[in-house]
Amino acid sequence: MKAIDVSVSINIACPAEQVWLLLGGFDLLPRWVDSIASSRLDDGGRLRYLEMADGVVIIERLLEFSESERHYSYALLEGPLPVSDYLGRVSVRDDGEGRSLATWSSRFRSEKANEVEIATDLESFYRTGLERLKAMLEAQQPVTGAS
């Protein structure tokens, strides 16, 4: 059973530090992913319980978090997808001239014959979330220092 990789990146016309304020919050997915109704942290902020709009609960564990490098990775512990060894990662980096590149990716295994369908669904889910994040951030007025 081979590992499947899914990755979606999107350019955002905001500095990486501004994008990270929203993207980097392990508990902030409901703010920029429409299909996630709520998020609750446990275990000192390392365990995330996501309730989807349809009532399904997904449980994930934070594995690595770097404020300075602006990325975190997490493992899927429980959820509706027929996958194993799921490792997700979100990150943002400067892309020059006040812009940034945000990425949401994962690697997983599936014993099901529909692994391509699972990968396509995840890619669509990541893209929809990142596009909403982009729209939200680019609609905001830039944060400036006091004059």
Side-chain angles (χ1 to χ4, degrees), residues 32-127:
W32 55 274
V33 179
D34 276 337
S35 58
I36 299 176
S38 67
S39 177
R40 178 178 59 84
L41 295 180
D42 200 354
D43 192 23
R46 292 181 296 271
L47 206 56
R48 173 169 71 185
Y49 292 83
L50 299 171
E51 184 175 347
M52 305 302 286
D54 62 5
V56 170
V57 174
I58 296 170
I59 305 171
E60 298 170 334
R61 175 166 297 282
L62 182 65
L63 300 175
E64 180 186 8
F65 183 92
S66 175
E67 188 74 40
S68 62
E69 295 178 20
R70 297 187 193 102
H71 70 83
Y72 70 80
S73 61
Y74 61 95
L76 174 67
L77 303 181
E78 197 175 301
L81 291 177
V83 299
S84 61
D85 301 327
Y86 177 102
L87 178 63
R89 187 174 195 270
V90 296
S91 64
V92 63
R93 65 174 173 81
D94 287 316
D95 201 22
E97 300 177 14
R99 298 179 58 85
S100 57
L101 183 70
T103 302
W104 193 350
S105 61
S106 63
R107 170 174 271 197
F108 63 90
R109 298 180 190 283
S110 177
E111 295 179 12
K112 304 294 181 186
N114 60 348
E115 63 191 21
V116 172
E117 182 181 331
I118 294 167
T120 300
D121 288 349
L122 283 172
E123 183 177 338
S124 176
F125 181 76
Y126 299 163
R127 185 171 313 285

Side-chain angles (χ1 to χ4, degrees), residues 12-32:
I12 301 176
C14 295
E17 56 271 9
Q18 186 177 351
V19 175
W20 183 244
L21 290 174
L22 198 52
L23 183 70
F26 190 56
D27 198 31
L28 298 182
L29 282 175
R31 292 193 186 176
W32 55 274

